[in-house]
PDB file of all heavy atoms in Angstrom:
ATOM      1  N   SER C   1      15.753  -1.899  -9.499  1.00  0.00           N
ATOM      2  CA  SER C   1      16.866  -2.741  -9.148  1.00  0.00           C
ATOM      3  C   SER C   1      16.251  -4.168  -9.045  1.00  0.00           C
ATOM      4  O   SER C   1      15.183  -4.338  -8.902  1.00  0.00           O
ATOM      5  CB  SER C   1      17.618  -2.363  -7.914  1.00  0.00           C
ATOM      6  OG  SER C   1      16.803  -2.307  -6.846  1.00  0.00           O
ATOM      7  N   ARG C   2      17.207  -5.125  -9.058  1.00  0.00           N
ATOM      8  CA  ARG C   2      16.803  -6.565  -8.908  1.00  0.00           C
ATOM      9  C   ARG C   2      17.765  -7.225  -8.044  1.00  0.00           C
ATOM     10  O   ARG C   2      18.974  -7.167  -8.109  1.00  0.00           O
ATOM     11  CB  ARG C   2      16.747  -7.105 -10.322  1.00  0.00           C
ATOM     12  CG  ARG C   2      16.533  -8.650 -10.308  1.00  0.00           C
ATOM     13  CD  ARG C   2      16.104  -9.236 -11.624  1.00  0.00           C
ATOM     14  NE  ARG C   2      16.981  -8.787 -12.741  1.00  0.00           N
ATOM     15  CZ  ARG C   2      16.673  -8.902 -14.046  1.00  0.00           C
ATOM     16  NH1 ARG C   2      15.501  -9.368 -14.401  1.00  0.00           N
ATOM     17  NH2 ARG C   2      17.487  -8.450 -15.019  1.00  0.00           N
ATOM     18  N   ASP C   3      17.247  -8.077  -7.088  1.00  0.00           N
ATOM     19  CA  ASP C   3      17.974  -8.976  -6.279  1.00  0.00           C
ATOM     20  C   ASP C   3      17.723 -10.408  -6.774  1.00  0.00           C
ATOM     21  O   ASP C   3      16.765 -10.979  -6.428  1.00  0.00           O
ATOM     22  CB  ASP C   3      17.569  -8.789  -4.812  1.00  0.00           C
ATOM     23  CG  ASP C   3      18.435  -9.540  -3.761  1.00  0.00           C
ATOM     24  OD1 ASP C   3      19.098 -10.501  -4.226  1.00  0.00           O
ATOM     25  OD2 ASP C   3      18.533  -9.183  -2.665  1.00  0.00           O
ATOM     26  N   ASN C   4      18.706 -10.887  -7.452  1.00  0.00           N
ATOM     27  CA  ASN C   4      18.581 -12.207  -8.045  1.00  0.00           C
ATOM     28  C   ASN C   4      18.509 -13.340  -7.053  1.00  0.00           C
ATOM     29  O   ASN C   4      17.773 -14.385  -7.281  1.00  0.00           O
ATOM     30  CB  ASN C   4      19.572 -12.535  -9.152  1.00  0.00           C
ATOM     31  CG  ASN C   4      19.338 -11.647 -10.336  1.00  0.00           C
ATOM     32  OD1 ASN C   4      18.240 -11.309 -10.702  1.00  0.00           O
ATOM     33  ND2 ASN C   4      20.451 -11.481 -11.074  1.00  0.00           N
ATOM     34  N   ALA C   5      19.252 -13.120  -5.906  1.00  0.00           N
ATOM     35  CA  ALA C   5      19.272 -14.129  -4.879  1.00  0.00           C
ATOM     36  C   ALA C   5      17.860 -14.292  -4.195  1.00  0.00           C
ATOM     37  O   ALA C   5      17.496 -15.420  -3.789  1.00  0.00           O
ATOM     38  CB  ALA C   5      20.271 -13.717  -3.816  1.00  0.00           C
ATOM     39  N   LYS C   6      17.030 -13.190  -4.269  1.00  0.00           N
ATOM     40  CA  LYS C   6      15.727 -13.177  -3.605  1.00  0.00           C
ATOM     41  C   LYS C   6      14.643 -13.328  -4.654  1.00  0.00           C
ATOM     42  O   LYS C   6      13.478 -13.385  -4.270  1.00  0.00           O
ATOM     43  CB  LYS C   6      15.552 -12.046  -2.775  1.00  0.00           C
ATOM     44  CG  LYS C   6      16.457 -11.940  -1.515  1.00  0.00           C
ATOM     45  CD  LYS C   6      16.156 -10.686  -0.720  1.00  0.00           C
ATOM     46  CE  LYS C   6      17.013 -10.620   0.537  1.00  0.00           C
ATOM     47  NZ  LYS C   6      16.749  -9.432   1.345  1.00  0.00           N
ATOM     48  N   ASN C   7      14.977 -13.401  -5.956  1.00  0.00           N
ATOM     49  CA  ASN C   7      13.991 -13.321  -7.048  1.00  0.00           C
ATOM     50  C   ASN C   7      13.068 -12.129  -6.967  1.00  0.00           C
ATOM     51  O   ASN C   7      11.913 -12.286  -7.073  1.00  0.00           O
ATOM     52  CB  ASN C   7      13.363 -14.670  -7.125  1.00  0.00           C
ATOM     53  CG  ASN C   7      14.191 -15.715  -7.764  1.00  0.00           C
ATOM     54  OD1 ASN C   7      15.357 -15.548  -8.259  1.00  0.00           O
ATOM     55  ND2 ASN C   7      13.675 -17.020  -7.740  1.00  0.00           N
ATOM     56  N   THR C   8      13.605 -11.039  -6.632  1.00  0.00           N
ATOM     57  CA  THR C   8      12.733  -9.780  -6.315  1.00  0.00           C
ATOM     58  C   THR C   8      13.130  -8.682  -7.023  1.00  0.00           C
ATOM     59  O   THR C   8      14.290  -8.224  -7.187  1.00  0.00           O
ATOM     60  CB  THR C   8      12.691  -9.593  -4.833  1.00  0.00           C
ATOM     61  OG1 THR C   8      12.270 -10.713  -4.052  1.00  0.00           O
ATOM     62  CG2 THR C   8      11.771  -8.366  -4.501  1.00  0.00           C
ATOM     63  N   LEU C   9      12.171  -7.914  -7.641  1.00  0.00           N
ATOM     64  CA  LEU C   9      12.407  -6.633  -8.291  1.00  0.00           C
ATOM     65  C   LEU C   9      11.941  -5.541  -7.421  1.00  0.00           C
ATOM     66  O   LEU C   9      10.836  -5.660  -6.712  1.00  0.00           O
ATOM     67  CB  LEU C   9      11.567  -6.669  -9.662  1.00  0.00           C
ATOM     68  CG  LEU C   9      11.702  -5.431 -10.546  1.00  0.00           C
ATOM     69  CD1 LEU C   9      13.032  -5.476 -11.322  1.00  0.00           C
ATOM     70  CD2 LEU C   9      10.508  -5.435 -11.591  1.00  0.00           C
ATOM     71  N   TYR C  10      12.654  -4.385  -7.386  1.00  0.00           N
ATOM     72  CA  TYR C  10      12.328  -3.274  -6.559  1.00  0.00           C
ATOM     73  C   TYR C  10      12.132  -1.960  -7.419  1.00  0.00           C
ATOM     74  O   TYR C  10      12.889  -1.862  -8.364  1.00  0.00           O
ATOM     75  CB  TYR C  10      13.375  -3.010  -5.540  1.00  0.00           C
ATOM     76  CG  TYR C  10      13.592  -4.096  -4.588  1.00  0.00           C
ATOM     77  CD1 TYR C  10      14.724  -5.086  -4.813  1.00  0.00           C
ATOM     78  CD2 TYR C  10      12.776  -4.368  -3.499  1.00  0.00           C
ATOM     79  CE1 TYR C  10      14.872  -6.211  -4.021  1.00  0.00           C
ATOM     80  CE2 TYR C  10      13.024  -5.386  -2.592  1.00  0.00           C
ATOM     81  CZ  TYR C  10      14.102  -6.311  -2.854  1.00  0.00           C
ATOM     82  OH  TYR C  10      14.325  -7.390  -1.954  1.00  0.00           O
ATOM     83  N   LEU C  11      11.246  -1.184  -6.992  1.00  0.00           N
ATOM     84  CA  LEU C  11      11.125   0.150  -7.572  1.00  0.00           C
ATOM     85  C   LEU C  11      11.023   1.189  -6.509  1.00  0.00           C
ATOM     86  O   LEU C  11      10.104   1.279  -5.664  1.00  0.00           O
ATOM     87  CB  LEU C  11       9.840   0.185  -8.420  1.00  0.00           C
ATOM     88  CG  LEU C  11       9.621   1.590  -9.084  1.00  0.00           C
ATOM     89  CD1 LEU C  11      10.674   1.777 -10.141  1.00  0.00           C
ATOM     90  CD2 LEU C  11       8.241   1.678  -9.749  1.00  0.00           C
ATOM     91  N   GLN C  12      12.202   1.952  -6.314  1.00  0.00           N
ATOM     92  CA  GLN C  12      12.257   3.017  -5.282  1.00  0.00           C
ATOM     93  C   GLN C  12      11.703   4.324  -5.957  1.00  0.00           C
ATOM     94  O   GLN C  12      12.226   4.733  -6.961  1.00  0.00           O
ATOM     95  CB  GLN C  12      13.729   3.167  -4.855  1.00  0.00           C
ATOM     96  CG  GLN C  12      13.905   4.346  -3.924  1.00  0.00           C
ATOM     97  CD  GLN C  12      13.165   4.080  -2.517  1.00  0.00           C
ATOM     98  OE1 GLN C  12      13.386   2.955  -1.991  1.00  0.00           O
ATOM     99  NE2 GLN C  12      12.572   5.139  -2.042  1.00  0.00           N
ATOM    100  N   MET C  13      10.692   4.839  -5.379  1.00  0.00           N
ATOM    101  CA  MET C  13      10.054   6.117  -5.942  1.00  0.00           C
ATOM    102  C   MET C  13      10.236   7.308  -4.979  1.00  0.00           C
ATOM    103  O   MET C  13       9.665   7.175  -3.799  1.00  0.00           O
ATOM    104  CB  MET C  13       8.584   5.808  -6.222  1.00  0.00           C
ATOM    105  CG  MET C  13       8.281   4.669  -7.036  1.00  0.00           C
ATOM    106  SD  MET C  13       6.534   4.361  -7.354  1.00  0.00           S
ATOM    107  CE  MET C  13       5.969   3.918  -5.765  1.00  0.00           C
ATOM    108  N   ASN C  14      10.967   8.230  -5.448  1.00  0.00           N
ATOM    109  CA  ASN C  14      11.281   9.430  -4.601  1.00  0.00           C
ATOM    110  C   ASN C  14      10.588  10.670  -5.267  1.00  0.00           C
ATOM    111  O   ASN C  14      10.254  10.618  -6.384  1.00  0.00           O
ATOM    112  CB  ASN C  14      12.717   9.576  -4.436  1.00  0.00           C
ATOM    113  CG  ASN C  14      13.471   8.594  -3.760  1.00  0.00           C
ATOM    114  OD1 ASN C  14      12.933   7.872  -2.784  1.00  0.00           O
ATOM    115  ND2 ASN C  14      14.612   8.249  -4.133  1.00  0.00           N
ATOM    116  N   SER C  15      10.450  11.770  -4.485  1.00  0.00           N
ATOM    117  CA  SER C  15       9.901  12.998  -5.006  1.00  0.00           C
ATOM    118  C   SER C  15       8.513  12.711  -5.647  1.00  0.00           C
ATOM    119  O   SER C  15       8.324  13.223  -6.820  1.00  0.00           O
ATOM    120  CB  SER C  15      10.752  13.700  -5.866  1.00  0.00           C
ATOM    121  OG  SER C  15      12.031  13.987  -5.169  1.00  0.00           O
ATOM    122  N   LEU C  16       7.710  11.926  -5.172  1.00  0.00           N
ATOM    123  CA  LEU C  16       6.489  11.503  -5.807  1.00  0.00           C
ATOM    124  C   LEU C  16       5.531  12.745  -5.915  1.00  0.00           C
ATOM    125  O   LEU C  16       5.449  13.621  -5.049  1.00  0.00           O
ATOM    126  CB  LEU C  16       5.720  10.482  -4.897  1.00  0.00           C
ATOM    127  CG  LEU C  16       6.353   9.092  -5.070  1.00  0.00           C
ATOM    128  CD1 LEU C  16       5.868   8.190  -3.914  1.00  0.00           C
ATOM    129  CD2 LEU C  16       5.871   8.439  -6.397  1.00  0.00           C
ATOM    130  N   GLN C  17       4.810  12.705  -7.061  1.00  0.00           N
ATOM    131  CA  GLN C  17       3.931  13.765  -7.449  1.00  0.00           C
ATOM    132  C   GLN C  17       2.565  13.164  -7.706  1.00  0.00           C
ATOM    133  O   GLN C  17       2.329  11.943  -7.898  1.00  0.00           O
ATOM    134  CB  GLN C  17       4.390  14.481  -8.679  1.00  0.00           C
ATOM    135  CG  GLN C  17       5.711  15.085  -8.575  1.00  0.00           C
ATOM    136  CD  GLN C  17       5.795  16.206  -7.351  1.00  0.00           C
ATOM    137  OE1 GLN C  17       4.917  17.082  -7.351  1.00  0.00           O
ATOM    138  NE2 GLN C  17       6.765  16.155  -6.599  1.00  0.00           N
ATOM    139  N   PRO C  18       1.423  14.025  -7.634  1.00  0.00           N
ATOM    140  CA  PRO C  18       0.064  13.472  -7.834  1.00  0.00           C
ATOM    141  C   PRO C  18      -0.024  12.742  -9.128  1.00  0.00           C
ATOM    142  O   PRO C  18      -0.813  11.791  -9.200  1.00  0.00           O
ATOM    143  CB  PRO C  18      -0.710  14.811  -7.909  1.00  0.00           C
ATOM    144  CG  PRO C  18      -0.064  15.740  -6.793  1.00  0.00           C
ATOM    145  CD  PRO C  18       1.443  15.487  -7.184  1.00  0.00           C
ATOM    146  N   GLU C  19       0.559  13.192 -10.157  1.00  0.00           N
ATOM    147  CA  GLU C  19       0.474  12.490 -11.460  1.00  0.00           C
ATOM    148  C   GLU C  19       1.115  11.080 -11.404  1.00  0.00           C
ATOM    149  O   GLU C  19       0.939  10.303 -12.478  1.00  0.00           O
ATOM    150  CB  GLU C  19       1.175  13.302 -12.587  1.00  0.00           C
ATOM    151  CG  GLU C  19       2.570  13.687 -12.258  1.00  0.00           C
ATOM    152  CD  GLU C  19       2.769  15.108 -11.684  1.00  0.00           C
ATOM    153  OE1 GLU C  19       1.806  15.490 -10.912  1.00  0.00           O
ATOM    154  OE2 GLU C  19       3.691  15.804 -12.011  1.00  0.00           O
ATOM    155  N   ASP C  20       1.759  10.712 -10.369  1.00  0.00           N
ATOM    156  CA  ASP C  20       2.382   9.286 -10.203  1.00  0.00           C
ATOM    157  C   ASP C  20       1.237   8.354  -9.647  1.00  0.00           C
ATOM    158  O   ASP C  20       1.475   7.219  -9.703  1.00  0.00           O
ATOM    159  CB  ASP C  20       3.486   9.338  -9.319  1.00  0.00           C
ATOM    160  CG  ASP C  20       4.738  10.086  -9.795  1.00  0.00           C
ATOM    161  OD1 ASP C  20       4.996   9.924 -10.997  1.00  0.00           O
ATOM    162  OD2 ASP C  20       5.367  10.849  -9.082  1.00  0.00           O
ATOM    163  N   THR C  21       0.130   8.908  -9.318  1.00  0.00           N
ATOM    164  CA  THR C  21      -1.015   8.085  -8.792  1.00  0.00           C
ATOM    165  C   THR C  21      -1.515   7.090  -9.794  1.00  0.00           C
ATOM    166  O   THR C  21      -1.667   7.404 -10.886  1.00  0.00           O
ATOM    167  CB  THR C  21      -2.089   8.938  -8.285  1.00  0.00           C
ATOM    168  OG1 THR C  21      -1.702   9.815  -7.209  1.00  0.00           O
ATOM    169  CG2 THR C  21      -3.297   8.143  -7.846  1.00  0.00           C
ATOM    170  N   GLY C  22      -1.735   5.863  -9.283  1.00  0.00           N
ATOM    171  CA  GLY C  22      -2.199   4.847 -10.209  1.00  0.00           C
ATOM    172  C   GLY C  22      -1.997   3.484  -9.704  1.00  0.00           C
ATOM    173  O   GLY C  22      -1.363   3.219  -8.635  1.00  0.00           O
ATOM    174  N   MET C  23      -2.427   2.454 -10.507  1.00  0.00           N
ATOM    175  CA  MET C  23      -2.122   1.090 -10.212  1.00  0.00           C
ATOM    176  C   MET C  23      -0.788   0.722 -10.851  1.00  0.00           C
ATOM    177  O   MET C  23      -0.608   0.906 -12.027  1.00  0.00           O
ATOM    178  CB  MET C  23      -3.180   0.185 -10.790  1.00  0.00           C
ATOM    179  CG  MET C  23      -4.514   0.179 -10.001  1.00  0.00           C
ATOM    180  SD  MET C  23      -4.385  -0.575  -8.327  1.00  0.00           S
ATOM    181  CE  MET C  23      -4.062  -2.282  -8.777  1.00  0.00           C
ATOM    182  N   TYR C  24       0.095   0.175 -10.053  1.00  0.00           N
ATOM    183  CA  TYR C  24       1.412  -0.304 -10.524  1.00  0.00           C
ATOM    184  C   TYR C  24       1.489  -1.730 -10.675  1.00  0.00           C
ATOM    185  O   TYR C  24       1.104  -2.502  -9.822  1.00  0.00           O
ATOM    186  CB  TYR C  24       2.512   0.214  -9.524  1.00  0.00           C
ATOM    187  CG  TYR C  24       2.737   1.681  -9.722  1.00  0.00           C
ATOM    188  CD1 TYR C  24       1.876   2.660  -9.363  1.00  0.00           C
ATOM    189  CD2 TYR C  24       3.998   2.127 -10.177  1.00  0.00           C
ATOM    190  CE1 TYR C  24       2.093   4.012  -9.594  1.00  0.00           C
ATOM    191  CE2 TYR C  24       4.284   3.441 -10.321  1.00  0.00           C
ATOM    192  CZ  TYR C  24       3.371   4.388 -10.038  1.00  0.00           C
ATOM    193  OH  TYR C  24       3.681   5.785 -10.183  1.00  0.00           O
ATOM    194  N   TYR C  25       2.023  -2.203 -11.903  1.00  0.00           N
ATOM    195  CA  TYR C  25       2.082  -3.577 -12.120  1.00  0.00           C
ATOM    196  C   TYR C  25       3.487  -3.956 -12.513  1.00  0.00           C
ATOM    197  O   TYR C  25       4.215  -3.299 -13.247  1.00  0.00           O
ATOM    198  CB  TYR C  25       1.171  -3.897 -13.395  1.00  0.00           C
ATOM    199  CG  TYR C  25      -0.182  -3.562 -13.261  1.00  0.00           C
ATOM    200  CD1 TYR C  25      -0.779  -2.338 -13.528  1.00  0.00           C
ATOM    201  CD2 TYR C  25      -1.154  -4.616 -12.836  1.00  0.00           C
ATOM    202  CE1 TYR C  25      -2.090  -2.067 -13.371  1.00  0.00           C
ATOM    203  CE2 TYR C  25      -2.403  -4.354 -12.701  1.00  0.00           C
ATOM    204  CZ  TYR C  25      -2.956  -3.086 -13.024  1.00  0.00           C
ATOM    205  OH  TYR C  25      -4.292  -2.872 -12.891  1.00  0.00           O
TER     206      TYR C  25
END
């Protein structure tokens, strides 16, 4: 999602698994 008023991008991550491990950019 994106909040344009705050110029901010969000990534909500649920049900995380070991294969989700890494550097996020």
Side-chain angles (χ1 to χ4, degrees):
S1 62
R2 173 163 52 195
D3 185 339
N4 289 332
K6 297 181 178 180
N7 286 352
T8 301
L9 184 72
Y10 299 96
L11 183 66
Q12 178 67 45
M13 304 183 292
N14 298 325
S15 301
L16 285 163
Q17 302 298 315
E19 54 264 34
D20 296 316
T21 293
M23 287 290 294
Y24 281 68
Y25 299 88

